[in-house]
Amino acid sequence: MMTPITDTFQRPLRDLRISVTDRCNFRCVYCMPKEVFGTNYPFLKKEEQLTLEEWSRLVRVFASIGVQKVRITGGEPLLWSDLPSLISRIRHDTEIRDISLTTNGVFLPKMVKQLKNAGLNRVNISLDALDPKTFLKMNGGILNVHHVLDGIESAKDADLIVKVNMVVLKGVNEHEVLPMASYFKDRGITLRFIEFMDVGNTNDWTEGKVMSTTDIYKTIHQSMPLKPLEASYFGEVAKRYQYVDSTAEVGFISSITNPFCTSCTRARISSDGQLYTCLFASKGVKMKEWLRSGISDEELSSRVKAVWEKRADQYSNERNRIDKKAKIEMSYIGG
Ligand code: SAM
Ligand code: SF4
Ligand code: SF4
């Protein structure tokens, strides 16, 4: 078995999140507010972004140093035309058997079979409300909720493991917690509640807008009792519960009220090939330059190892003690 490389807190590098595009067809208020991400926003140009060949090589190199899971995200990863080819290469060229996608789900009905055939195992679909008006308020007024619900259905029909992610903002969609919980409980789909995070600098985050895991839990538990479940592996981000009268589960991702930095095993790569060792980083390591300078796979892996071994990130643990400016945006680095 491969000896894992660890950072200064002895956390192994297990999980790779790759953002294949910084563009998106939504403008969620907590991620890409439309007032900031308008027509003049300087999105990355095609030549600035990694190619399919470069992504395939990077994932191979990360797999060779211990990465076991790859999550493909964005921006909206279904807008990236090479997605099926990349999944298929990861499946064939590496031993990674856990390949997942985070998406707003809109293009799943037309793409999901191809993605499943390429080797995709799991999909997390973001949905913040069932009520059409609230949904539109959350996604920047772009699309009706039935498009996402159709995407969720199509992923279930394709036999993928499906989870739904909901970000809860106080006073905006908190009234949707119970309807969402009940809807997905009935369908046996795991719903995960994500506390609104202070990622980037544009989403107008304040602590007052965060609906805490404790409050969400109480809201659900009062009408649909829950019981806790054991974590299924080291570093599992969501705290999982099961309904007492059903096999359906819910999860809580409490980056604000209960940080999980001590077990963080994730590295992230942006679509222009920068390596980030924390979601709240200000600076990345420019791997695109390495890739394009002609270095060998061995040299590439030893440079990545060196970055990881120096890593000392624990932003969520320190959030209240530091005033960090210039964080990178969620749509650039992926969730
Ligand atoms: N477009 C895809 C989607 O929405 O699923 C993938 C990219 S999106 C950046 C990845 C995840 O980050 C989504 O589940 C989204 O809800 C979550 N997210 C974005 N901004 C967030 C924030 N400020 N706080 C908490 N979660 C956030
Ligand atoms: Fe797009 Fe996903 Fe961000 Fe919403 S959360 S704006 S769908 S990248
Ligand atoms: Fe990992 Fe950084 Fe998030 Fe902590 S704040 S869990 S180190 S990504």
Side-chain angles (χ1 to χ4, degrees):
M1 206 172 129
M2 185 185 304
T3 317
I5 52 160
T6 55
D7 65 9
T8 54
F9 295 132
Q10 299 304 305
R11 296 168 297 192
L13 171 52
R14 289 274 188 252
D15 183 346
L16 182 64
R17 304 211 170 173
I18 63 175
S19 171
V20 289
T21 176
D22 62 336
R23 289 169 193 254
C24 187
N25 48 335
F26 277 13
R27 290 292 179 270
C28 300
V29 287
Y30 51 81
C31 177
M32 298 178 81
K34 62 178 181 222
E35 301 72 27
V36 179
F37 292 84
T39 39
N40 294 326
Y41 187 81
F43 288 105
L44 293 166
K45 297 187 188 68
K46 191 161 189 230
E47 60 277 15
E48 292 175 299
Q49 305 193 41
L50 296 191
T51 62
L52 169 63
E53 297 302 329
E54 289 169 333
W55 277 123
S56 314
R57 182 175 175 209
L58 275 183
V59 177
R60 259 194 292 109
V61 166
F62 275 80
S64 75
I65 55 174
V67 160
Q68 297 168 351
K69 293 161 73 172
V70 174
R71 173 168 295 284
I72 306 173
T73 175
E76 177 44 50
L78 296 183
L79 296 178
W80 189 60
S81 56
D82 286 321
L83 184 61
S85 308
L86 178 61
I87 292 171
S88 158
R89 288 188 187 196
I90 298 172
R91 186 86 199 169
H92 290 113
D93 301 349
T94 75
E95 285 174 15
I96 294 172
R97 288 294 163 265
D98 188 343
I99 309 172
S100 59
L101 182 73
T102 305
T103 171
N104 62 33
V106 171
F107 297 116
L108 276 178
K110 68 172 186 193
M111 293 177 68
V112 75
K113 285 209 177 93
Q114 199 188 1
L115 299 173
K116 166 83 181 174
N117 291 340
L120 184 69
N121 310 109
R122 301 192 286 128
V123 63
N124 288 357
I125 302 169
S126 304
L127 175 68
D128 304 315
L130 290 169
D131 167 57
K133 270 198 191 141
T134 312
F135 180 69
L136 281 171
K137 208 188 253 182
M138 292 296 283
N139 76 36
I142 311 275
L143 261 191
N144 196 287
V145 64
H146 76 80
H147 292 281
V148 180
L149 294 176
D150 290 349
I152 295 171
E153 275 312 304
S154 71
K156 283 293 280 179
D157 291 347
D159 269 339
L160 288 166
I161 300 168
V162 180
K163 290 182 186 150
V164 171
N165 286 346
M166 174 179 184
V167 179
V168 191
L169 265 65
K170 257 195 193 154
V172 187
N173 67 336
E174 63 179 292
H175 59 284
E176 285 289 293
V177 165
L178 257 191
M180 287 277 289
S182 164
Y183 181 91
F184 288 107
K185 178 187 178 206
D186 289 349
R187 281 157 186 78
I189 294 176
T190 299
L191 175 62
R192 304 189 321 162
F193 297 96
I194 308 179
E195 286 178 343
F196 176 32
M197 291 187 282
D198 50 337
V199 202
N201 306 290
T202 60
N203 64 9
D204 216 11
W205 183 90
T206 60
E207 207 166 346
K209 293 180 188 168
V210 179
M211 186 170 182
S212 69
T213 285
T214 308
D215 287 347
I216 300 171
Y217 172 86
K218 278 187 195 152
T219 306
I220 300 173
H221 187 65
Q222 271 162 11
S223 53
M224 295 184 284
L226 295 165
K227 58 181 183 196
L229 295 172
E230 289 294 317
S232 29
Y233 56 89
F234 174 80
E236 188 170 43
V237 168
K239 175 83 191 91
R240 293 157 53 236
Y241 291 82
Q242 191 180 337
Y243 292 101
V244 168
D245 61 353
S246 147
T247 54
E249 289 182 20
V250 282
F252 297 93
I253 302 178
S254 322
S255 171
I256 305 295
T257 60
N258 193 10
F260 35 82
C261 297
T262 49
S263 58
C264 177
T265 58
R266 285 171 295 285
R268 293 177 161 86
I269 309 176
S270 60
S271 61
D272 58 350
Q274 299 215 45
L275 171 62
Y276 291 92
T277 54
C278 180
L279 184 54
F280 299 89
S282 313
K283 258 180 75 189
V285 176
K286 294 181 178 164
M287 288 193 299
K288 185 176 68 185
E289 288 177 9
W290 297 350
L291 288 167
R292 295 184 185 175
S293 71
I295 63 170
S296 65
D297 283 359
E298 289 68 33
E299 177 61 20
L300 197 49
S301 63
S302 72
R303 290 189 193 185
V304 172
K305 275 186 197 170
V307 171
W308 191 262
E309 280 161 2
K310 273 201 243 119
R311 172 188 189 242
D313 302 285
Q314 48 166 343
Y315 174 81
S316 290
N317 277 343
E318 296 172 333
R319 167 180 286 116
N320 296 329
R321 277 174 274 139
I322 52 175
D323 179 20
K324 193 162 191 186
K325 306 271 181 330
K327 291 170 285 177
I328 35 158
E329 295 299 321
M330 187 71 139
S331 54
Y332 170 71
I333 200 176

